[in-house]
Amino acid sequence: MPLTEILCISYFDRIIGPNTFHCNAELSDREEFPDLGRILDFNNEEGTFIFAFRKYQTVNHIFYLESEYARGGKDLLMISYMIRAAYFKSEISDIYRYLESKTPILEEFASELQQLEDFSRILNQNKDIENQQDLISLGNKSFQKKFINLFKSYFKTLCMKEGPFLQKSKDELKKVFIFGADHAGKTTFLKNIEALQFHSQDDSGLGTQILEVVIDNMEILMEECIDNQFKCEQCGRSNRCINKAQGFILIFNVSDKQSIIDAKERFKIIVKKICNHELEDTIPILIIGNKFTYHEEVSEEIVNDTFQIDQINECDVKIEYFPVNLLNNDKKTLEALRWFIRNII
């Protein structure tokens, strides 16, 4: 059975750089687990942020420890609580808010560690890293007992499942649906999101929301679902793609007229469905015109006219258009995602 919940304490060593002080699991598989050292290497501001990496999602709290041994008089530390999100999908309906709710616990844990006698001396002591020395053993028995008790107590508290984000019904799960013309870049868009999440992890505002909206909740709509007016097997009885939608992302080739026409037809079907349903919230639709290199793009005015964006905004739909080269313009992709996410939360 794979590890489902993990708690780690990392710190910045003045000689070797980012290092793990203690963790309840061995994070040797770099392909599966996030590189906590790299995260700490890129962040040195106190605070809490959420970071998603493949199978594991993490909430991290960075803080400083006053020290007479450290250069600059302070040690930089990070507490990371991570979960294997897929394992808890039947229990937790809102992964982002679940992890966000752990912030006060991490802050309290950090406060306790700041008061732990002898902690800073141990952090700054020379260590036999090559032999995987147990760093806790560098402290005396009193320190070891206090640290382990604190660690176990806060890990138990972090693992408690409580709050409005707990799963009440599978029917309440929401999705972000991607649709559009064939060969326009829908799969490319999805593949790039994970890399963008890592490289943008210094922007905690976007990073925390990508966890919920982009990593966990995105799904490419089947072409036959739209072509059959949502009368497919999945949507026939429940209108799943409308009732379960947090939002839609439409992607087309901005330099291909046929791609624009195909996208427009599918877009009209989606909007008609939304307008014919009484939904609790306004649905955002992000339109991405994928700019292929060396191809001319159509103007924003033409796109607005083609999709009749101004008229549709009067319905319970909020729409924004972004021309983006999905292969090599990460900054623009993040800008588009930022707009989309802010209109969901």
Side-chain angles (χ1 to χ4, degrees):
M1 181 177 176
L3 293 167
T4 57
E5 294 176 272
I6 300 170
L7 179 63
C8 292
I9 298 176
S10 309
Y11 72 103
F12 198 93
D13 188 279
R14 56 192 171 88
I15 297 175
I16 64 174
N19 191 35
T20 300
F21 182 79
H22 185 66
C23 190
N24 70 318
E26 177 62 43
L27 308 184
S28 57
D29 187 353
R30 295 297 182 187
E31 295 298 318
E32 183 172 4
F33 298 104
D35 189 338
L36 299 180
R38 187 174 180 188
I39 296 174
L40 185 60
D41 205 14
F42 277 88
N43 292 271
N44 57 13
E45 293 186 9
E46 289 185 295
T48 306
F49 61 95
I50 294 173
F51 174 70
F53 183 85
R54 296 194 174 98
K55 298 178 181 179
Y56 286 89
Q57 331 301 333
T58 74
V59 56
N60 309 274
H61 180 69
I62 290 179
F63 65 101
Y64 283 93
L65 177 67
E66 296 291 335
S67 171
E68 62 179 291
Y69 307 98
R71 185 179 302 168
K74 292 182 178 181
D75 288 307
L76 176 65
L77 295 99
M78 180 173 72
I79 305 172
S80 301
Y81 169 66
M82 65 184 79
I83 67 173
R84 194 179 180 96
Y87 184 83
F88 292 104
K89 280 191 173 181
S90 62
E91 299 177 56
I92 303 172
S93 62
D94 195 326
I95 296 292
Y96 162 62
R97 288 185 175 84
Y98 169 74
L99 290 176
E100 187 182 49
S101 73
K102 304 299 180 181
T103 297
I105 303 172
L106 296 180
E107 291 174 345
E108 186 179 329
F109 189 16
S111 180
E112 294 270 17
L113 292 175
Q114 287 171 326
Q115 300 173 44
L116 195 58
E117 188 177 351
D118 215 27
F119 193 19
S120 179
R121 181 192 64 78
I122 296 170
L123 292 176
N124 290 277
Q125 187 171 330
N126 291 331
K127 308 168 186 71
D128 187 0
I129 301 300
E130 291 184 0
N131 292 326
Q132 298 295 312
Q133 183 177 12
D134 178 9
L135 301 187
I136 299 177
S137 66
L138 296 176
N140 57 33
K141 289 185 178 180
S142 175
F143 171 85
Q144 294 179 39
K145 182 178 180 180
K146 289 179 181 177
F147 180 88
I148 291 299
N149 286 341
L150 275 176
F151 189 92
K152 289 182 177 179
S153 174
Y154 277 97
F155 182 54
K156 183 178 180 180
T157 303
L158 286 164
C159 291
M160 291 177 62
K161 307 293 184 296
E162 55 185 4
F165 37 73
L166 293 185
Q167 186 79 324
K168 296 179 181 178
S169 168
K170 290 184 178 180
D171 292 335
E172 295 178 7
L173 286 174
K174 295 290 186 178
K175 287 285 185 180
V176 172
F177 293 107
I178 302 172
F179 70 105
D182 295 335
H183 311 297
K186 298 187 292 293
T187 303
T188 299
F189 176 73
L190 270 180
K191 287 182 177 179
N192 287 347
I193 287 173
E194 189 173 287
L196 287 177
Q197 163 66 3
F198 183 82
H199 292 303
S200 67
Q201 41 101 0
D202 57 322
D203 178 358
S204 59
L206 176 61
T208 54
Q209 290 144 13
I210 283 182
L211 170 66
E212 176 191 13
V213 180
V214 181
I215 300 295
D216 286 337
N217 292 355
M218 276 197 169
E219 177 182 324
I220 296 179
L221 278 180
M222 297 184 298
E223 300 299 334
E224 55 267 30
C225 185
I226 302 177
D227 294 340
N228 292 330
Q229 304 284 320
F230 297 102
K231 294 179 181 178
C232 62
E233 184 176 337
Q234 291 189 79
C235 297
R237 295 182 179 179
S238 63
N239 284 304
R240 182 186 76 104
C241 301
I242 301 300
N243 294 332
K244 310 305 178 191
Q246 283 185 310
F248 292 90
I249 297 178
L250 168 65
I251 300 177
F252 64 91
N253 182 345
V254 76
S255 58
D256 185 334
K257 291 182 179 180
Q258 187 58 50
S259 183
I260 297 174
I261 293 171
D262 291 346
K264 176 185 175 181
E265 293 305 311
R266 289 165 182 165
F267 176 76
K268 286 168 59 179
I269 294 171
I270 291 285
V271 171
K272 183 178 179 181
K273 273 284 186 180
I274 293 173
C275 292
N276 288 339
H277 278 68
E278 294 184 4
L279 302 175
E280 295 181 0
D281 302 308
T282 299
I283 297 290
I285 300 180
L286 169 63
I287 301 179
I288 294 179
N290 191 7
K291 298 164 59 177
F292 288 80
T293 307
Y294 304 123
H295 289 184
E296 294 184 3
E297 63 178 276
V298 298
S299 69
E300 187 170 340
E301 290 74 18
I302 293 176
V303 172
N304 286 333
D305 291 341
T306 301
F307 291 95
Q308 299 178 315
I309 291 175
D310 293 336
Q311 297 94 310
I312 292 171
N313 271 324
E314 297 176 3
C315 190
D316 284 334
V317 182
K318 192 164 186 179
I319 304 170
E320 194 71 23
Y321 169 66
F322 289 85
V324 183
N325 186 320
L326 293 176
L327 281 177
N328 57 28
N329 196 334
D330 293 351
K331 184 177 180 180
K332 193 70 174 179
T333 301
L334 288 173
E335 181 184 339
L337 284 172
R338 188 175 288 108
W339 175 88
F340 182 70
I341 292 166
R342 285 174 178 168
N343 282 278
I344 287 179
I345 57 175

